[in-house]
Every structure is written in C-alpha cells, then in structure tokens.
Amino acid sequence: ATFSVPFDRGGSWLHSAEATLLSEAGDYEGALEVYEEIDDGFHKSIAVLQRHALVLKELGRGEEAVELLERVNLNGNVPSAERVAMRELAVLYADLGREEDLVELAGRAIDSGNEAVIIAVSDAMVEGGMGGEALDLLLLGSRRLKSDEERARLLLRLMERVLEPAGDGGAEGEVAGAAGATKWGSLLETVFACGLEGVEEEQRRLLEILRSAEGMIPGEWGQFLDRAEWEGGMGLFAAACRLEMALAEDEKAGLGRMLREFRGARSADEVVYLRMAIETCLAHGRAGPARQLLEILRGLQPSVFSHAKEAIAVYAAQGDEAALALVYQELLRDRVEDGYRERAVILVERGALAEAFVSAGQVERALRVYEHYYSQPLTMRRDDRLFYEGYARLLIGEGRYFDAERVLRRVLRKNIEFDLGVVIDLYDAWGRLGEIAGAMRKFELSSGLRKEVEVLAMAREREREKG
C-alpha cells in the first residue's frame, strides 16, 4: 500500500503515526503496544478506535474489537467513519456467531443507503451461514440506492451469490425463498437497464460471473441476450456475453454467429467489446477465434499501440514467434520523450505492454521494453508511479538489484507518491535490510519518509524473527 500518516486531534500524533505504520506493515503486536500507550481521552477519536479495533481483530481478539467499535455512535453524524465501523462490525459479528446483532446491523446498512456497507454486511451474512438473509439484504438494498451504477453493482453481487455452489458459501438452495419474485431473465434485464453501457468495469465483472457459472446459467439468460433490438455498444456487449456462454457450452454454431456479429463492428467506441471477446476466447483456450477478433480490432485501430496488449497475448497463445517479434520491434522504435515538456503518452500504458510480455512468459523482452521507455528523457508525472513500481518489482524478481535501486532513486528523488513497500522488498531480497538506514541517505529522502522506511524495515525484521 501507499502509506499515509493520519492526523488526529486531541492526542499524540507521533503515537498514532507509529501505530499506523506498524499495523500496515503487519506488525500487529507492535501496533497494539503503541495503541495501549495512548490515553483514554485520545480514544474518543473515531479513527483511532477503528484502527485499534482492526489490530485486535488481526490478533484474534474479536470480542475486544467489538467492544471498541460499538462505542462508535451510528447516528449519521460522521458518515464515512460510521460506514467503516459497520463493515468491520459485520465481519466480527459473523466470526463470533452473533446472528441477532448481524440482522440488526443489516437494517442499519439499508438505512445508510451505502452500497459498500450493504455488500459488506451481506458478505458477512453468507460467511455466517445466513445466505437467505444476505440475498434479502441485497434485494432490498438495490431498491434503496438512487444511482443506477450502484444498483447494477449490487445486483451483480446478487448474481454472484446465487450462482455460487452452496458448499462455497453461496445461497443456491435458498433462491426461491429469498429471491422469490426475481426470475433470471428479468434480473439480467434489470442489470442491463441500470446503465451498464460505458461502465467497463461492471461489464467485465458480468462476463466473469458468466465464466464462473460452470453450466448453471438458466435458459432465460440466453433468451434475453438473443434479443435483436439492441444497436451499437450494448448490442456488442450482449454478443460478448453470448460468446462467453457459447464457449462455456462448446456451442460451435453459437461461436460462429457471435464472430459474425463482431465483424459488423464499425465504431471506435465499440472496440472495448472486441477486447472483452478476445479475452474471453483466450480464457477458454480458443486462440484461433481470438486471432480472428484481433484482426477486426486491428482494422478499427491500426496503430500497433492500440492493440499491442491483445496481440501479444494472442500471438503467445498461438506460439507465433515471428508476429511477437514484429510487435516487440515496433515498441523499441517508439519515442515518447518530451524534452521535459508536457507529453501526450501515458507511461503506465506502455508499462502495461511490458507486463503483457511478462504474462506471455517473455521476461527478457519485458525488461527491454521497460528500459526503453525508462531511458528516454521524460518529465515525471504522478500517473507514472505504477510504471516505475512495475519496472522495479520486475527487476527485483529477476535479481537485478542494482538496476532496481537505480529506478527507485530516480522516483524517490522526485518526491512523487510511491509504494515504499517496494523499497523494503528490494533490500530484503538483496539481503541488506539491516543497512537500509544508511542506504536511504543516498535517496535524498525527507526525514519523514526516512522514518517511514525505517519503521517498515523494523516491522519486516520482526515478522521474519517470528517465523
């Protein structure tokens, strides 16, 4: 995680900062010692109550954690903090078998009108063996939410729960009672009506639900998806869903029909559904249809950078080394240097292409692509962080510690937000964790960041000593 130190009024800022860093580094015993040193007056801070309770939960002291969290008044005065408290209480109540408390909390979750809280409480109910109550909560909660996107997410969660086998915490046997009036076709239709067009994350999630259903998809879904009145984006998304079902059922006729629908794609706005379809084919081991879809994508977006990620995956699946080499050479000819002026290229997108080579098992090419972009004179922007983190982690994994240190020094000198855990991972893998305080002087870090790194290093060493 990227570490931040919260400020709490009315107590010791240094104590709070140290406890937070220790707990985020996994040293819960050390964090608890610090929290116990903070006076009771400081415990009136809701944020500190919550962090203290989380540490107790990690240490298996659930009842004590509940006592702390129940001191938070769930009266709507501090909504964000109260939502965190409700989510954590739900997990604890389920772990402790306190079903009555969990049912009462479900009512408060619905009243909160907060999607994340409703999902957290329903998940806790399922884990506590209350699958039917969890489905009721999701259905009632979806009716209370005002945002279509939030309603869609909640209904997708309902689909996931219903499709899960009962032995895996699902509610398969309780669908009739809990989701009584909800038929499969109408449920899917409701999700489509919630404004999924353009909400790529939720569309991908629906495809994942279909992929994991393992033959439990009712016929109503297929009937709904076969409707012909859709045009443009949603029509192709329906085709992507139908393709998923055809591949899962090894339905050759359905596969051919879906491929023909994708050949009708004309708009650049529709390429997202082509990408989804390519991923679907590859997930089912069907590289041939994926190659056909890739050719359609290339026709809509000729630039190699617009389809290189998919091309690398498809060519690797087919073992087409010549095609892979062409994409690789094209990337090495790419120049994104901006002379330290504003640039159009988002560096993390180029990093994603390097990671595509990693996924294809071609680590050396991935490293060369990363280095190609790293070595160009560029203005460093905040959104470049994931590029540098990805490059450093790959170098660490390959044992190239000097190179990883070189990358980290450049980033940290620029003082952009960065995952300090990468620094710890480097010196730990290098066998130099004990030297980290001296090494940090070369990085020209602020005293605050040096302190964070040292605390994290100590926590890592304590973790190793424990076993």
Side-chain angles (χ1 to χ4, degrees), residues 423-424 427-428 432-441 453-454 457:
V423 180
I424 304 303
Y427 286 94
D428 192 7
R432 297 177 55 194
L433 202 56
E435 306 171 26
I436 203 163
M440 286 304 96
R441 283 192 283 272
V453 171
E454 290 170 15

Side-chain angles (χ1 to χ4, degrees), residues 317-328:
Q318 290 191 314
D320 191 339
E321 176 59 32
L324 274 172
L326 287 174
V327 176
Y328 172 65

Side-chain angles (χ1 to χ4, degrees), residues 106-388:
R108 291 180 177 272
I110 291 175
D111 291 339
S112 76
N114 182 265
E115 170 205 352
V117 173
I118 293 170
I119 289 176
V121 176
S122 71
D123 284 350
M125 283 180 152
V126 171
E127 294 301 321
M130 302 169 67
E133 290 87 343
L135 291 177
D136 281 335
L137 173 57
L138 289 170
L139 284 168
L140 290 171
S142 70
R143 295 168 188 155
R144 292 288 186 93
L145 296 176
K146 297 178 180 178
S147 161
D148 278 344
E149 286 185 25
E150 288 183 341
R151 289 186 64 226
R153 283 193 290 265
L154 214 57
L155 288 166
L156 287 172
R157 190 64 181 146
L158 175 61
M159 287 185 187
E160 289 172 333
R161 280 304 183 201
V162 171
L163 282 172
E164 285 176 357
D168 293 338
E172 207 180 351
E174 303 176 75
V175 176
T182 303
K183 295 182 180 179
W184 283 103
S186 60
L187 179 58
L188 187 61
E189 189 167 2
T190 303
V191 173
F192 268 71
C194 281
L196 273 184
E197 187 163 14
V199 189
E200 184 178 346
E201 180 181 348
E202 301 313 322
Q203 291 175 336
R204 290 181 180 278
R205 186 174 163 200
L206 179 52
L207 287 177
E208 287 295 327
I209 292 172
L210 295 175
R211 186 172 302 159
S212 63
E214 296 181 355
M216 291 188 290
I217 302 168
E220 288 93 335
W221 280 25
Q223 294 168 20
F224 172 72
L225 292 169
D226 277 338
R227 292 183 182 174
E229 62 263 28
W230 289 314
E231 296 180 358
M234 285 307 284
L236 278 186
F237 177 56
C241 293
R242 201 69 180 90
L243 174 64
E244 182 67 62
M245 295 170 68
L247 288 169
E249 298 165 8
D250 197 22
E251 182 189 333
K252 294 181 174 59
L255 173 59
R257 182 159 55 84
M258 292 307 108
L259 290 176
R260 285 194 296 274
E261 288 194 36
F262 282 108
R263 289 192 188 99
R266 294 289 180 269
S267 167
D269 295 334
E270 296 171 352
V271 299
V272 62
Y273 306 110
L274 278 167
R275 298 186 198 282
M276 289 180 184
I278 291 169
E279 292 169 10
T280 293
C281 289
L282 292 174
H284 287 277
R286 302 295 292 273
R291 183 76 173 250
Q292 294 178 50
L293 292 167
L294 176 63
E295 295 306 316
I296 300 171
L297 178 60
R298 289 178 62 190
L300 287 172
Q301 294 195 330
S303 169
V304 68
F305 304 105
S306 62
H307 59 259
K309 183 178 177 182
E310 290 76 22
I312 293 166
V314 170
Y315 298 153
Q318 290 191 314
D320 191 339
E321 176 59 32
L324 274 172
L326 287 174
V327 176
Y328 172 65
Q329 292 300 328
E330 191 71 30
L331 294 182
L332 294 190
R333 285 193 291 269
D334 183 32
R335 306 299 300 177
V336 298
E337 60 189 67
D338 56 5
Y340 302 105
R341 296 185 298 274
E342 189 66 23
R343 70 178 190 275
V345 173
I346 299 174
L347 202 54
V348 70
E349 293 177 354
R350 297 299 196 255
L353 303 183
E355 292 298 327
F357 277 113
V358 174
S359 299
Q362 304 209 355
V363 175
E364 195 57 40
R365 278 179 170 164
L367 286 167
R368 288 176 184 169
V369 170
Y370 264 127
E371 182 62 25
H372 170 69
Y373 291 109
Y374 173 84
S375 62
Q376 296 183 41
L378 297 169
T379 306
M380 191 172 293
R381 306 188 314 201
R382 285 187 178 275
D383 57 9
D384 294 336
R385 176 175 65 88
L386 293 177
F387 172 88
Y388 292 104

Side-chain angles (χ1 to χ4, degrees), residues 30-74:
L32 184 60
E33 290 177 13
V34 176
Y35 280 126
E36 289 175 346
E37 291 177 9
I38 300 175
D39 60 52
D40 287 336
F42 190 43
H43 279 167
K44 292 178 182 177
S45 161
I46 293 178
V48 172
L49 274 174
Q50 290 169 345
R51 292 196 295 274
H52 190 169
L54 289 174
V55 167
L56 287 168
K57 184 184 81 170
E58 293 292 341
L59 292 171
R61 295 162 65 172
E63 293 287 357
E64 294 173 66
V66 166
E67 288 179 18
L68 279 179
L69 288 173
E70 286 181 339
R71 290 164 62 179
V72 178
N73 291 320
L74 303 179

